[in-house]
Amino acid sequence: MKETLTRVDWTRGRAMKTELEKQPGAAFDFRLMKRLWTFVAPHQKWLWLSLCLLLFTSALGLAQPMLIRIAIDDYLITGELKGFGWLLGAVGVAVVGELLGRALQAYTLELAGQNALIDLRMAVFRHLQKLSARFFDKNPIGRLIGRVTTDIESLGEMFASGVVTILGDLINLLAILSILFWMNWQLTLVALCAVPILLVSTLWVRIRVRRAYDDMVSRRSKLNAYLHEQSSGMPLVQSFGREKLTKSKFDEINEGLCSAQLRSVNWESCLSALTDMLSSITMALILWYGGGLALEALGAAPLSETMHPGITLGTLVAFLQYMERFFGPLNELSMKYTVMQNAMTASERVFRILDTDDSIPQVETPHKSSETKGHIRFRDVTFGYDEANPVLNNVSFEVAPGEKVAFVGATGAGKTTILKLLTRLYDINAGAIELDGVDVRQYSLKDLRSRIGIVQQDVFLFAGNIIDNIHLGHPEIDDATARAAADELHLDKVIARLPAGYDEPVRERGKGLSSGERQLISFARVLALRPGVLALDEATSSVDSHMENLLQEAVGRVMKDRTSLIIAHRLSTIRDVDRILVMHKGELVEQGSHDELLAARGFYWKLYRLQYSQDEA
C-alpha cells in the first residue's frame, strides 16, 4: 500500500513545548495585527462606525473651548449678552453630544472586539480538538487554559482601548496642536517645553513595564498549571499529608506573581505621577507667560481690537482647556502602548498554539464502507512515546471478526498502547495496523473511532446529565435510543435512587457516582453507538461486589457478536475468551487459550501462579 501520510516527528513535539513557553520579543508586530484582522474583518462594520463616532465626538470636544473663548471675549467681558443663550445652548449640545457619542463609540468598538474574540476562542478550541494526544502529554492543561482565557482577555483590552482609540488620540493631538499654534505660537512653544521630557520618560518606563508584564504572564501561566494539577490531585495530596509542602510551593509561585505585578504597578504609578507633575508645570508656565500677555493686552487696547502679541482672556482660558485635552490623550497613548504590547504578547502566544502542527494526519479521500466486520491485523508494529525508547517492538497478530481476544502482561508491557494505536490517538512509528483489510490511516478519524467502542477503567463523565453522557452528542443517537441501551444493561435500576433519574445532573468527572455506576454508563455509551469492535481497558477491575454481577452481564451483552479486545489484570475474568495474547516488554511472547498457555508453563503460567498465590494469601 502506498504511504500517503507523514509521521509526526517526536523531536518536533519536544521542541514544540519549548516554543509554547518562549516569550515574544516584538512590542508591536504588523504580522500579528494582520492575522488578528482576519477575525475582526467579519465584524468590521462596527469598527468603522466606532471610528466615525470617535472622530465626531473629538470634533465636538475640540469645539467646546472655542465656544467658551467666544463666550468670554465677545459676551462676558464686553457685556453684550444678545445671542448669549444660543451660544450656551451650543455648548450644552456639544457636551451632551460628546458624552452620548463616546458611550456609543465604546459600545460599538466593544461589540466588534468581543465578536472577534468569540471567533478566535472557537478557532483555538477547534484547533486543540485536532491536536494529538502527544501534544497534551507535553503541555500542562493549566497553561493551555491560560491561552484560551487570560491571553484572549488581554486581546479584549486591546479592542477596548486599542488601534481605533489610538488613531483617534493621534488625530486629536494633531488637531489640538494646530489650534494652539493658530491661537498663539509663542505660548504654544512655551507649553510644549515639558513634552520631550514626558516622551523620553514614558519610553524609558514602558520598557520596564513590558519586562515586568512578560514576567507576570509567565508566572501566571505557571500558577494556573500548578493550581490545576494540585486541584485535580487534591485527594492524593490529603491522603499523603502533602498539604504543607504544596502550600509552600503555591506560596512561592503566588508571591513571585505578586512581585511581578507590583513591579508593573510601581512603574505605572511613577509614570502617572510624572505625567501629573509635568502637566501641572505646563499649566503654571501657561498662566505665567500667557497671563502676562493677557495683562498686556488688557492695558494696551480694547480686547476686541488688540493685534499685539498679547492674547485675550478668552484665548487664555481656551488655551488652558486645550492643553488639558492635550495631556489627556498623550498620557493615554503611553498606557495604550502598554496595552498594545500586552496584546502582542498574548496574540503571539495564542497564534503559536494555532501554528502548532501536531495533529494526526488524515488522507484527502478517506476509505468508506457501510459496515465493520471487525477483522484486525497488526503487522510488525513498532511504536514509542519517545522514539528512542520503543514501547512496542515488531508486534504482529491478527483478530478474526467476532473473536474475543485478551491481552495480559506486566505493567508497561504495552497492552493499553495497542488500543491507543488502533484508534489512532497516536500514530505508529513503523509497520501497519489494518481494520477489515484497510490501513487505519486510510479511514477518517471520526469514521475510524465510531467503529471502535472503548470502555476504560477510569471513566470520564462530562458536565450535563446522565442521558447526555450516554449519547455524547452523537446526532444519530436520540434520547430514546440512549435510554433503551441503558435499560438493556439494567442501568435504570441503578439510577432509580437518583431524584431526576436519567436527567440527574452529573458533577465534575462524575463525582457522586460510584466507579461501577460510571462504568455502566460507559457500557451504555458503547451499546447505544453499536460499534463493530469493542475495546475493554481494565473495564471491570475496580468495582465493588454489589456491581460485579451487573457489569459482568453488561460485558456479555456488549461483546455479543462483536470483535472484542480485552485488557485485564485479573486473569480469572478472561478464561472464556477465544484467545489470550501475552505481552512482555513490548513484545508478543505467547498466545493461545487459557488451558493451552497454562500447559505451556511460560510467561502466562508465571503470571497466573503469581496472581493465584496472592489471591490465596
Side-chain angles (χ1 to χ4, degrees), residues 22-38:
K22 280 173 58 180
Q23 293 292 339
F28 189 88
D29 194 329
F30 285 101
R31 175 184 56 86
L32 293 176
M33 293 301 297
K34 184 178 179 180
R35 295 190 66 177
L36 285 172
W37 176 253
T38 61

Side-chain angles (χ1 to χ4, degrees), residues 173-191:
L173 288 174
L174 291 175
I176 290 174
L177 281 177
S178 300
I179 294 172
L180 291 178
F181 276 105
W182 173 75
M183 292 173 64
N184 190 288
W185 65 269
Q186 297 99 326
L187 185 56
T188 301
L189 291 177
V190 172

Side-chain angles (χ1 to χ4, degrees), residues 118-382:
I118 288 175
D119 295 343
L120 180 58
R121 285 192 189 97
M122 288 303 302
V124 174
F125 186 75
R126 285 194 299 267
H127 187 71
L128 287 173
Q129 288 182 311
K130 296 177 183 177
L131 295 175
S132 68
R134 194 190 303 275
F135 173 86
F136 295 98
D137 290 342
K138 293 298 177 181
N139 288 279
I141 299 300
R143 182 181 296 131
L144 298 178
I145 292 174
R147 298 294 180 269
V148 182
T149 56
T150 307
D151 286 337
I152 293 183
E153 285 173 9
S154 297
L155 296 179
E157 294 179 13
M158 180 192 72
F159 284 114
S161 58
V163 177
V164 171
T165 50
I166 288 176
L167 180 60
D169 286 341
L170 290 174
I171 294 174
N172 217 18
L173 288 174
L174 291 175
I176 290 174
L177 281 177
S178 300
I179 294 172
L180 291 178
F181 276 105
W182 173 75
M183 292 173 64
N184 190 288
W185 65 269
Q186 297 99 326
L187 185 56
T188 301
L189 291 177
V190 172
L192 294 179
C193 287
V195 171
I197 301 175
L198 178 63
L199 293 177
V200 172
S201 302
T202 298
L203 181 61
W204 186 76
V205 170
R206 287 305 167 197
I207 292 174
R208 281 146 184 82
V209 170
R210 172 63 185 273
R211 291 173 182 170
Y213 180 81
D214 284 348
D215 186 32
M216 181 185 70
V217 169
S218 177
R219 292 177 182 273
R220 186 169 55 197
S221 295
K222 187 181 297 185
L223 179 72
N224 289 337
Y226 186 80
L227 184 60
H228 180 272
E229 179 186 52
Q230 295 303 315
S231 298
S232 300
M234 191 57 69
L236 188 63
V237 170
Q238 295 170 340
S239 298
F240 283 85
R242 288 174 53 89
E243 292 93 341
K244 186 175 181 180
L245 180 63
T246 55
K247 176 182 176 296
S248 176
K249 180 65 175 177
F250 184 81
D251 284 344
E252 179 183 341
I253 299 174
N254 195 33
E255 288 175 2
L257 175 60
C258 179
S259 298
Q261 288 176 321
L262 287 178
R263 284 197 301 273
S264 178
V265 170
N266 287 339
W267 286 115
E268 290 281 3
S269 301
C270 291
L271 182 60
S272 178
L274 179 64
T275 302
D276 290 341
M277 181 184 70
L278 292 177
S279 176
S280 300
I281 292 174
T282 300
M283 293 304 173
L285 288 173
I286 292 173
L287 287 174
W288 169 71
Y289 185 76
L293 296 177
L295 290 175
E296 181 182 348
L298 286 172
L303 288 174
S304 57
E305 300 177 5
T306 182
M307 299 297 292
H308 195 75
I311 61 174
T312 64
L313 183 59
T315 299
L316 181 60
V317 172
F319 207 97
L320 289 170
Q321 290 186 336
Y322 277 124
M323 284 307 300
E324 287 181 357
R325 290 178 177 267
F326 180 82
F327 272 98
L330 196 63
N331 189 33
E332 287 180 5
L333 274 176
S334 66
M335 291 189 293
K336 289 170 184 175
Y337 180 71
T338 299
V339 170
M340 292 299 296
Q341 284 184 318
N342 298 344
M344 291 301 99
T345 300
S347 61
E348 189 158 349
R349 287 168 175 265
V350 171
F351 286 130
R352 194 175 292 129
I353 288 183
L354 288 175
D355 292 338
T356 299
D357 183 17
D358 193 33
S359 58
I360 298 294
Q362 301 191 60
V363 292
E364 294 182 1
T365 306
H367 172 80
K368 294 182 179 179
S369 62
S370 57
E371 63 176 349
T372 304
K373 297 178 181 178
H375 182 200
I376 299 170
R377 187 180 182 189
F378 274 56
R379 292 192 295 113
D380 300 320
V381 171
T382 297

Side-chain angles (χ1 to χ4, degrees), residues 12-139:
R12 187 181 67 193
R14 289 188 296 178
M16 175 188 59
K17 178 186 177 184
T18 305
E19 286 298 313
L20 287 178
E21 294 175 344
K22 280 173 58 180
Q23 293 292 339
F28 189 88
D29 194 329
F30 285 101
R31 175 184 56 86
L32 293 176
M33 293 301 297
K34 184 178 179 180
R35 295 190 66 177
L36 285 172
W37 176 253
T38 61
F39 295 95
V40 178
H43 316 287
Q44 60 179 296
K45 63 179 180 180
W46 300 113
L47 203 63
W48 295 118
L49 177 58
S50 177
L51 179 59
C52 292
L53 287 170
L54 184 60
L55 296 176
F56 174 71
T57 54
S58 296
L60 291 178
L62 293 176
Q64 293 169 35
M66 194 61 66
L67 292 173
I68 293 174
R69 175 196 180 196
I70 295 173
I72 294 175
D73 290 347
D74 295 350
Y75 291 96
L76 297 181
I77 292 182
T78 61
E80 179 60 50
L81 299 180
K82 185 178 180 180
F84 185 64
W86 288 103
L87 186 63
L88 287 179
V91 173
V93 168
V95 172
V96 173
E98 183 183 13
L99 292 175
L100 294 177
R102 289 193 182 280
L104 186 58
Q105 181 267 331
Y107 174 77
T108 53
L109 182 60
E110 193 72 19
L111 186 62
Q114 290 303 319
N115 283 329
L117 294 184
I118 288 175
D119 295 343
L120 180 58
R121 285 192 189 97
M122 288 303 302
V124 174
F125 186 75
R126 285 194 299 267
H127 187 71
L128 287 173
Q129 288 182 311
K130 296 177 183 177
L131 295 175
S132 68
R134 194 190 303 275
F135 173 86
F136 295 98
D137 290 342
K138 293 298 177 181
N139 288 279

Side-chain angles (χ1 to χ4, degrees), residues 451-501:
R451 297 169 184 266
I452 305 169
I454 296 182
V455 180
Q456 297 176 326
Q457 178 181 2
D458 184 15
V459 178
F460 192 99
L461 298 184
F462 295 92
N465 55 38
I466 292 178
I467 201 69
D468 290 338
N469 272 280
I470 294 176
H471 61 61
L472 285 182
H474 284 281
E476 69 274 17
I477 303 176
D478 55 20
D479 286 355
T481 303
R483 287 175 184 270
D487 291 345
E488 188 175 345
L489 300 179
H490 304 299
L491 183 60
D492 55 332
K493 297 178 182 178
V494 175
I495 66 170
R497 66 179 178 83
L498 303 176

